[in-house]
Amino acid sequence: MTRDIAVVAFARTDHRATCEDTSEVEMLMPVLHEVLARTGLRTADIGFTCSGSSDYLAGRAFSFTMALDGVGAWPPISESHVEMDGAWALYEAWTKLLSGDADTALVYSYGKSTPGSVRDVLTRQLDPYYVAPLWPDSVALAALQAQALIDAGDTDEAALAAVGARSRADADSRVPQGSSPGDYVVRPLRTGDCPPVGDGAAAVILAAGDRARALCERPAWIRGIDHRIEAHALGVRDLTDSPSTRLAAEKAGAFERPVDTAELHAPFSAQEVVLRKALRLGDGVRVNPSGGALAANPVMAAGLARIGEAAARIHRGESGRALAHATSGPCLQQNLVAVLEGDPR
Amino acid sequence: MSKEPVAVTGIGQTKHVAARRDVSIAGLVREAALRALDDAELTWADIDAVVIGKAPDFFEGVMMPELYLADALGAVGKPMLRVHTAGSVGGSTSLVAANLIAARVHRTVLTLAFEKQSESNAMWGLSLPIPFQQPLLAGAGGFFAPHVRAYMRRSGAPDTVGSLVAYKDRRNALKNPYAHLHEHDLTLEQVQASPMLWDPIRYSETCPSSDGACAMVLTDRAGAARAPRPPAWMLGGAMRSEPTLFAGKDFVSPQAGKDCAADVYRQAGVADPRRDIDAVEMYVPFSWYEPMWLENLGFAEEGEGWKLTESGVTALDGDLPVNMSGGVLSTNPIGASGMIRFAEAALQVRGLAGEHQVDGARRVLGHAYGGGSQFFSMWLVGSEPPDS
C-alpha cells in the first residue's frame, strides 16, 4: 500500500430535531451540493460513490435507491452502498482508492430518526429469536452499560453529567438543549446522558495523492483506518471495555504517536468513558470539539460526521493529528477508528 | 498502481428451498460458510475479514442482521462489512470483498450473501407505504412486464422465446443439486400453458422465493498457491448505477449495464465477448431477460438476442451456455442470487461444476442487477491468473 488518501472536504446538515418537511433526498441534496462546491468537483468528476443508510429508519425497503437520484447519477456512476453508518461507506471508498480503481470518491450517509420511534426501531437490530422479541430498547441497554461502569468504579453520575454538559456547550447555539442533566430516562442515565433524536446527513470527499493536494489546501491524510466487531450477546461481553475499539486503533496506528483531537461516536455519555479508556486518551486530547453525538445524533450519519469533523479541524489548521471513531450495534458492538494527519505547517 | 490478483479458492452453497424451518438465519449462513471453508481447506482462523450482503432487511424483519450474525460467521475480533445494493447485492458484495484483497488490505476474506425469505413476507417487505410516492403494489413482475413488452415490440421476437428460456433453465437446474426447483416432469407445453401473471410473463417464467446462502473464500496470489483445488481468477469486476426513473432511461437496455460490461471487458482484455467468453451466469428473474441481457452485455446486436436463445446457442451444450446452474429462474434467495451467479461462474472455470459443467470453460461472466434495472455488478473469472 503506497497510496496517500485524504479527506478533502466535509459537509453536514445543521443540527435539527426534525426534518419532517423534507424527504430524505431533499435533506441530503444541500449537503451533497455543499461538499462538491468545496472542491469544485461535479458528480461526473467523481471516480467512486459510496453511501450508508438503513431501510429500517426510512420504514421501507430499498430506501437508498431514491437517494441516489439526489447525487445526479447520470451518466451511470461507479457506486455502492453499505447498510451501515457512512463511516463504513468511507472505509469501502478508501479501499477502492487504495486499489487504484479511482482517484476521488464521494461518500455520504443520512438518517431520519423522527418518522418512527428510534428506541423501538433499534431493538430490531438484536438477535431476532432470543432478544428482539423482548424489545429491550437502546437507552435501556446503554443504561446497563453505564451501571456496569459505575459499579466498576470507572465513573459516577456526576462525571457522566459533566460529559453531557461539555458536549452541548461545545456544540454551542446549534443545539437547543440546556446544560442541566435532566430527568432519568432509564437509571442511571438522564436526558443529558442520552443523544437527542434528530435527522441529518453528512458527506465527505476523498482524494488520492496529488489530486488531494489540488483539491484542498491542507488535506487530512488518512494514516490508518480499521474496524472490528465483537460478539453480539451482551452477556458474553465486558461492557466496561471495548476491545474492538482498542484493536481497530492499534491496526490504524493510533498508538504510534499521540493525537491532539478525538472525535468519538459515543451516543451515550458513559460510552465516552469506555472509549477514552480503550483509546488511552489523556486529558491533553481535545475530545469531541464538535459536540459529538450527544449534541446531534443523526443515526447512520453520526459516525461519518465524526470523521468529517476531525478532518475539518485539520483543514482549518486546528489539529495536526486527529483520531475519529464510529460505532454500530448495541453498547459499542462494532467500532471503526481512523487516524488523520495534516502536513506539518 | 499494481493491484493484487484475486482468486476464488472456496465456494459453498446451501440446498435452496422454499423454507428452511430447521435452521435459524445464523444456522443457514454458517452452513454455506463452512462449505466454502471446506472447499478451500481453511478454518475460521485463516479468515482476515467478513463481507456480507443481503437484500432489504425487511425481507427477514431484522435490522442490520450482520450484527447478530457476527458470532455465527466467526467475525468476532475481525472487520465485518455489510453491503446492500438491492438485487445486485450478491455481486456487489463479492466485489467489495475482492477489492479488500486487490488493495492489499487483507489476504483472505470470507464473503457471503443470503436471504431467508420464509422468515417474513417479501411481498409485504416490498409494499410498505411510502409517503408522497406512488405505491408499487404490483410486485417486481408488474414493474418489469412492460419493459419485456417493449423489448418484444422493438426486436420483433416471437412470443415463444420466454418459455424456451424458462424450460432450458429449469432443465439445467436438474443437474444442480443446490437448485431450489427440481421439476423433473416439466414440459415446454406446460410452461406455455401456465397461468399469465403479468402479461407477457407467465407463472413458469418467474423465479421462486427461496431460503438460501452462498459463500466464497477470496484470497491473494500466495493464498491461491496454497489452495488444494484449482482457483478461479478474477480478470475484471465493476459496478454501475443509474436512476430508476427518469425520462431518458432505456429500460430495455440500460446504459449502466452496458457501461459496467464495457469496464469489465476492458480490465480483462476482452475485445469480442461472443468470442472471448465461454459461458455466462446472468441474472434472469423473468425469462425474457435472457435475450435482453444478451444484447445489453454485448453478446448480440440490438434486437438479435432472442435469435441466440431460439437457435439453442444458450443451451448447456450450446456455443454460449447461459445459466448452467438453472439460474435465478430456478433458485432465488434474493440477496444471495447475485453471489450465486458469481460463484457459479467461478465453479465453471475451476472445473468443479459437476453435472452442469461446461467442457473447456476458461472464461465465464457472472452478472447481477437490481432495483428497477438500476444497479449492475459483474465479474469475469478465468482459469488462468490475469497476467498470464
Side-chain angles (χ1 to χ4, degrees), chain B residues 213-265:
Chain B
C214 179
M216 289 190 286
V217 174
L218 306 183
T219 190
D220 60 5
R221 196 192 295 270
R226 288 192 298 269
R229 277 174 276 280
W233 294 94
M234 180 174 160
L235 305 177
M239 292 184 253
R240 286 294 183 283
S241 310
E242 67 181 41
T244 299
L245 300 168
F246 76 110
K249 178 162 175 133
D250 184 350
F251 280 98
V252 171
S253 189
Q255 189 63 40
K258 293 181 187 175
D259 290 0
C260 190
D263 192 357
V264 171
Y265 299 158

Side-chain angles (χ1 to χ4, degrees), chain A residues 22-36:
Chain A
T22 57
S23 71
E24 283 153 329
V25 179
E26 289 167 328
M27 180 178 75
L28 183 61
M29 281 193 71
V31 176
L32 292 172
H33 284 289
E34 186 183 336
V35 80
L36 287 165

